[in-house]
Amino acid sequence: MTTHRIAVIPGDGIGHEVTPAALEVLNAVGRAHGIDFAYQEFDWSCDTYLREGAMMPEDGIDRLRGHDAVFLGAVGAPGVPDHISLWGLLIPIRRAFRQYVNLRPVRVFTGIDSPLRDARDIDLVVVRENVEGEYSEVGGRLNRGFPEEMAVQESVFTRAGVTRVVDFAFALAAGRRKHVTSATKSNGIVHTLPFWDQIVAERAALNPGVSWGQEHIDALCAKLVLDPGRFDVLVGSNLFGDILSDLAAAVGGSIGIAPSANLNPEREFPSMFEPVHGSAPDIAGRGIANPIGAIWSAALMLDHLGHAEAGAGVVGAIAGVLAETDVRTGDLGGSATTEEFTRAVLARL
């Protein structure tokens, strides 16, 4: 048996419902493929912040460091500002463990309708730079409370940071349909985005087997809606990748099923896997949260840990259950509970 140590952070809201579902699926596929998981759960959340004044303890990063991966349920709660929950937990983990790739696959499953007509050929991946760019801590506020109050926020683009995420995108595309689309806005942002474009062109020249192009982010968003099937791998900065990944998930049918992987590709540090639907406090505790995003994120974790066949089996089980679903009549569709859908995936596994 291969054993992996997994740090589990259920977090807030429906994170406590979809995380157990994903772990059940991991255990089932593990038994079939000779994989064992040793879980250690950490009760870090917005409730922790309200009780103790911090999302996680001071030694939180060190406590996660020895694990092979981190599995996160959801973060966010009424009464805790989003920047507190994000910068108190997710971003410190991403940066301490150099999880510089945020990976967001998008596809249309039979049984989940895209809002677009003829969207069945959507199968793309958004590669988002995950630790620098527009989401920096450089900047500040001046003259608070006065009429001339101001705020300055600096973007940080390094050659090393752009190069490594672009290289990842080209390597990923080489194993798919061999095309990369780079998101830019170099006609309006005169320093950082021309620098991004320059590095993309340099790295593209080293990957002659992969075609590529670049699109201004505004036009790219429009084309992603008008003709999503044309895209294979999209790569963008922290902000542009964030926007594109949620838009692409919606085009694929629902952000509620979207998975994500925060990757340290070199595996020097643990990577983190999480559904992106949020904590959904309005339905928390009712047992009706959709577990697909969490289960799919678990499949991404399997793939990263070297078990591609097992990960593909999980995605295939999701697809198989959805193909049997009639969302119009509610037969295992909109009326299914978290447990019912999970049991159906387990049965197919």
Side-chain angles (χ1 to χ4, degrees):
M1 295 284 285
T2 299
T3 300
H4 296 291
R5 296 187 63 214
I6 309 299
V8 178
I9 308 174
D12 298 296
I14 63 170
H16 289 273
E17 299 165 55
V18 298
T19 299
L23 300 188
E24 276 195 85
V25 171
L26 278 174
N27 290 336
V29 76
R31 287 191 294 271
H33 289 268
I35 310 165
D36 191 25
F37 299 98
Y39 303 112
Q40 184 174 5
E41 185 169 320
F42 296 90
D43 182 21
W44 302 340
S45 64
C46 287
D47 284 342
T48 306
Y49 174 80
L50 293 173
R51 287 194 317 267
E52 302 174 13
M55 293 290 296
M56 64 177 172
E58 289 187 7
D59 65 345
I61 296 298
D62 289 334
R63 292 168 67 179
L64 297 175
R65 194 178 301 275
H67 293 82
D68 297 311
V70 179
F71 194 87
L72 176 69
V75 173
V80 178
D82 287 343
H83 70 276
I84 294 291
S85 57
L86 187 66
W87 283 88
L89 187 62
L90 272 70
I91 290 182
I93 293 172
R94 290 171 178 171
R95 297 191 173 183
F97 295 145
R98 297 194 176 186
Q99 297 167 353
Y100 60 83
V101 169
N102 184 268
L103 190 71
R104 291 278 294 272
V106 176
R107 58 178 283 190
V108 174
F109 291 101
T110 299
I112 295 182
D113 292 332
S114 166
L116 307 182
R117 295 189 304 271
D118 302 322
R120 293 297 167 200
D121 58 347
I122 298 174
D123 181 8
L124 60 88
V125 181
V126 179
V127 176
R128 167 189 172 189
E129 198 291 315
N130 207 33
V131 297
E132 53 178 51
E134 301 88 351
Y135 295 179
S136 80
E137 296 177 88
V138 181
R141 299 274 292 273
L142 184 65
N143 298 323
R144 291 174 184 261
F146 291 96
E148 64 271 24
E149 183 175 6
M150 64 175 288
V152 175
Q153 181 78 44
E154 300 286 352
S155 295
V156 176
F157 287 67
T158 67
R159 175 169 285 277
V162 176
T163 297
R164 64 192 181 186
V165 75
V166 169
D167 283 351
F168 182 93
F170 274 97
L172 181 64
R176 288 174 48 90
R177 301 200 309 276
K178 296 180 171 52
H179 186 75
V180 170
T181 303
S182 171
T184 186
K185 192 58 181 172
S186 51
N187 60 342
I189 301 175
V190 299
H191 297 301
T192 55
L193 272 303
F195 179 61
W196 171 280
D197 293 347
Q198 173 190 334
I199 296 174
V200 172
E202 292 171 1
R203 307 316 292 180
L206 300 176
N207 292 272
V210 178
S211 63
W212 72 286
Q214 64 183 39
E215 297 275 1
H216 291 143
I217 183 63
D218 43 356
L220 180 54
C221 287
K223 292 177 181 179
L224 188 57
V225 172
L226 293 171
D227 187 15
R230 67 187 287 187
F231 296 109
D232 180 20
V233 175
L234 301 171
V235 63
S237 67
N238 214 330
L239 176 61
F240 291 173
D242 197 358
I243 293 168
L244 286 169
S245 55
D246 278 10
L247 175 60
V251 165
S254 173
I255 196 171
I257 69 168
S260 76
N262 301 277
L263 299 178
N264 172 248
E266 295 79 13
R267 295 173 173 80
E268 298 171 323
F269 304 98
S271 294
M272 180 167 61
F273 303 83
E274 55 172 321
V276 299
H277 47 52
S279 60
D282 56 324
I283 63 168
R286 295 169 58 189
I288 59 173
N290 191 329
I292 293 177
I295 295 171
W296 195 354
S297 296
L300 295 180
M301 185 171 73
L302 284 166
D303 190 56
H304 179 72
L305 293 173
H307 307 292
E309 183 181 352
V314 171
V315 177
I318 293 171
V321 173
L322 289 172
E324 298 172 348
T325 296
D326 189 340
V327 295
R328 290 167 291 280
T329 64
D331 179 19
L332 199 59
S335 64
T337 66
T338 309
E339 182 177 0
E340 286 170 343
F341 191 90
T342 304
R343 292 280 167 260
V345 171
L346 291 169
R348 292 196 70 91
L349 285 172

